[in-house]
């Protein structure tokens, strides 16, 4: 088993960072990805000896280390692709240099470090003769940054083979500043239990569709109507605002670590919910996003001389039920401005993780053993 030596681990991680595994939307260039595969075999020979290895799409890895309980499974997952290193960098982006106690490099944070961590942990455990009780699955996608097909194809395999997981750990969370001020211990172990949904809508304004009586002259051209619509959506509080269950869980877990009067507020959510709902949207966009669908316009095309203007609306819903209501409100608002809508490429929503099960309980226990001074707080 390796000594707990920072330089030892940094040197090993650096070999992974040096592989320029940049994912691109419409193409796959295998050289650097295959280089990383070779590096992984070099760094973690026992994992590669003991595991059954499967590949999905161009380079999504799934490793299975069989446990003693054949029907129980744990999945640790990450991704090894990175976005392009554009612009000026203070230090070379694929070097993993250390400066001022920090590592610099593309993928150090997102997310080759977590990938390295669980492969390294598995390697060290196997070197002691450790045999997991649950089947241990290690997975990493090659095109996560581009919303690619890597992990989705692996999920199809799991479904087809009726493979269910007691615990799935992916990126999401950190030892960091708490979501509200007043936490007595300083930092919290924030554990992400829900990733907001992603949904896109294409909005279109034209001289020939969707704007009242076709026989009457237009008062505004398509670009003017689209900009008025975008401004109306962005400046109006039109979406459902509500403290849903994952946010209630977050406040419940953090309440014991708050001083008065915040502890009183968060211990009595039913009483103070109306006040919290009014205050949170005014704090910052992140706080507002915890209790409401957010909508941003990511792309707009057209000109004052053209007969058509299009924009892409990007939604991140918190709750699927609320979002159905919010979409209808959005449609009505579009209708007022003569905007027609059609669904975009993204349509994804997943329910929050169950924090009453043994998967979360075990994760919480492990975090508390390693970071005893940081309260564990689930967050959506």
């Amino acid at each position: 088993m390796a000594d707990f030596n920072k330089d030892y681990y940094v040197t090993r991680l650096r070999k992974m960072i040096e592989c320029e595994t940049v994912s691109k939307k419409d193409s796959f260039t295998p050289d650097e990805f295959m280089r990383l595969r070779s590096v992984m075999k070099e760094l973690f020979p026992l994992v590669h000896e003991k595991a059954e290895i499967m590949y999905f799409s161009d380079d999504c890895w799934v490793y299975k280390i069989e446990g003693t309980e054949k029907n129980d499974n744990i999945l640790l997952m990450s991704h090894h692709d990175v976005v392009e290193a554009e612009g000026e960098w203070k230090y070379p982006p694929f070097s993993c240099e250390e400066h001022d106690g920090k590592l610099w490099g593309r993928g150090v944070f997102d997310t080759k470090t977590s990938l390295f961590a669980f492969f390294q942990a598995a390697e060290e455990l196997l070197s002691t003769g450790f045999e997991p009780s649950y089947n241990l699955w290690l997975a990493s996608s090659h095109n996560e940054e581009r919303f690619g097909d890597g992990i989705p194809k692996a999920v199809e395999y799991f479904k087809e083979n009726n493979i269910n997981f007691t615990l799935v750990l992916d990126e999401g969370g950190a030892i960091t500043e708490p979501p509200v001020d007043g936490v007595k211990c300083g930092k919290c172990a924030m554990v992400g239990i829900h990733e907001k949904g992603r949904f896109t809508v294409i909005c279109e304004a034209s001289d020939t569709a969707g704007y009242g009586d076709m026989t009457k002259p237009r008062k505004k051209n398509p670009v003017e109507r689209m900009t008025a619509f975008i401004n109306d959506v962005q400046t109006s509080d039109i979406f459902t605002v509500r403290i849903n269950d994952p946010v209630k869980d977050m406040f419940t877990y953090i309440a014991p670590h708050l001083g008065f009067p915040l502890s009183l507020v968060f211990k009595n959510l039913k009483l103070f919910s109306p006040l919290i709902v009014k205050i949170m949207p005014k704090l910052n966009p992140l706080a507002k996003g915890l209790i409401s669908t957010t909508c941003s316009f990511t792309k707009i095309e057209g000109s004052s001389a053209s007969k058509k203007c299009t924009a892409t609306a990007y939604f991140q819903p918190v709750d699927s039920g609320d979002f159905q209501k919010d979409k209808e409100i959005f449609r009505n608002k579009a209708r007022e401005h003569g905007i027609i809508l059609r669904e975009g490429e993204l349509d994804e929503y997943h329910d929050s993780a169950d924090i009453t099960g043994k998967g979360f309980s075990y994760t919480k226990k492990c975090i508390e053993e390693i970071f005893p001074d940081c309260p564990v707080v689930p967050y959506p």
Side-chain angles (χ1 to χ4, degrees):
M1 185 172 178
D3 294 331
F4 190 75
N5 181 296
K6 183 192 72 174
D7 292 337
Y8 169 80
Y9 291 117
V10 169
T11 299
R12 291 168 66 80
L13 172 62
R14 182 173 293 124
K15 292 183 178 182
M16 295 171 59
I17 301 299
E18 287 172 345
C19 298
E20 300 184 25
T21 50
V22 176
S23 61
K24 298 179 180 179
K25 186 173 182 180
D26 298 315
S27 64
F28 176 72
T29 305
D31 293 0
E32 290 296 307
F33 289 87
M34 295 305 106
R35 177 186 173 197
L36 179 59
R37 278 199 203 182
S38 298
V39 166
M40 298 298 285
K41 290 179 182 178
E42 172 195 335
L43 294 176
F44 312 111
L46 284 176
V47 172
H48 284 77
E49 176 187 332
K50 300 289 186 181
E52 175 188 357
I53 306 173
M54 293 163 273
Y55 297 101
F56 299 90
S57 185
D58 293 309
D59 193 47
C60 175
W61 321 330
V62 174
Y63 291 61
K64 178 187 177 184
I65 300 174
E66 196 165 275
T68 55
E69 301 296 331
K70 308 300 182 185
N71 295 320
D72 292 321
N73 301 279
I74 289 177
L75 172 63
L76 308 180
M77 58 187 289
S78 184
H79 64 90
H80 53 276
D81 66 317
V82 297
V83 296
E84 293 182 89
E86 299 174 334
E88 293 186 10
W89 283 67
K90 189 174 183 179
Y91 305 105
F94 295 100
S95 64
C96 193
E97 293 184 9
E98 183 178 359
H99 299 277
D100 301 321
K102 299 177 181 178
L103 297 178
W104 296 75
R106 177 61 90 207
V108 167
F109 182 78
D110 187 14
T111 56
K112 284 181 179 175
T113 297
S114 61
L115 178 65
F116 168 77
F118 64 69
F119 265 84
Q120 181 68 34
E123 184 74 13
E124 293 184 10
L125 285 168
L126 291 173
S127 73
T128 68
F130 172 80
E131 186 177 11
S133 55
Y134 285 27
N135 295 322
L136 176 60
W137 299 77
L138 312 177
S140 184
S141 176
H142 66 298
N143 54 12
E144 187 270 354
E145 296 288 0
R146 305 297 177 184
F147 309 114
D149 63 349
I151 286 296
K153 286 188 178 295
V155 171
E156 289 177 12
Y157 168 82
F158 296 143
K159 288 181 177 179
E160 290 169 0
N161 290 275
N162 198 30
I163 298 169
N164 298 301
F165 295 96
T166 301
L167 174 65
V168 177
L169 291 180
D170 195 1
E171 61 178 302
I175 306 297
T176 187
E177 302 299 324
V180 294
D181 294 331
V183 174
K184 293 177 285 188
C185 50
K187 293 187 177 183
C188 293
M190 303 299 297
V191 179
I193 59 169
H194 182 232
E195 184 168 355
K196 296 180 72 174
R198 300 177 296 179
F199 188 88
T200 52
V201 171
I202 308 302
C203 312
E204 182 179 302
S206 72
D207 279 342
T208 58
Y211 193 44
D213 188 346
M214 295 296 114
T215 64
K216 294 181 180 180
R218 302 289 184 266
K219 293 183 178 180
K220 293 182 179 180
N221 66 41
V223 172
E224 291 170 330
R225 299 209 320 272
M226 184 63 72
T227 53
F229 168 62
I230 292 173
N231 181 69
D232 197 358
V233 171
Q234 300 287 41
T235 57
S236 304
D237 293 323
I238 62 175
F239 299 130
T240 305
V241 179
R242 183 171 68 87
I243 299 179
N244 54 46
D245 289 341
V247 176
K248 288 179 184 176
D249 291 332
M250 179 180 75
F251 288 150
T252 300
Y253 270 75
I254 207 170
H257 308 283
L258 292 169
F260 184 84
L262 284 178
S263 59
L264 174 67
V265 172
F266 291 126
K267 285 179 180 178
N268 295 275
L269 286 175
K270 189 173 182 180
L271 176 63
F272 288 102
S273 287
L275 176 63
I276 296 172
V277 163
K278 286 184 178 180
I279 292 175
M280 285 187 67
K282 301 181 188 303
L283 297 178
N284 54 59
L286 181 60
K288 182 178 181 180
L290 290 174
I291 59 174
S292 177
T293 296
T294 58
C295 174
S296 58
F297 291 85
T298 58
K299 185 179 181 180
I300 184 169
E301 295 179 311
S303 68
S304 58
S306 71
K307 293 185 177 182
K308 184 170 72 173
C309 180
T310 61
T312 301
Y314 175 63
F315 296 89
Q316 286 197 283
V318 177
D319 181 89
S320 59
D322 291 344
F323 187 47
Q324 297 308 311
K325 303 173 188 175
D326 295 338
K327 283 194 292 185
E328 188 58 35
I329 295 169
F330 186 79
R331 290 190 194 99
N332 292 336
K333 185 68 67 175
R335 204 172 289 121
E336 292 175 12
H337 291 271
I339 307 296
I340 61 173
L341 306 177
R342 65 178 187 273
E343 291 189 2
E345 294 181 358
L346 279 178
D347 183 1
E348 181 179 26
Y349 181 83
H350 303 283
D351 291 327
S352 175
D354 178 13
I355 65 170
T356 65
K358 58 183 179 181
F360 182 81
S361 297
Y362 180 72
T363 303
K364 181 175 180 291
K365 176 185 174 184
C366 291
I367 295 172
E368 288 171 341
E369 289 178 357
I370 300 171
F371 302 100
D373 298 324
C374 297
V376 175
V377 179
Y379 78 94

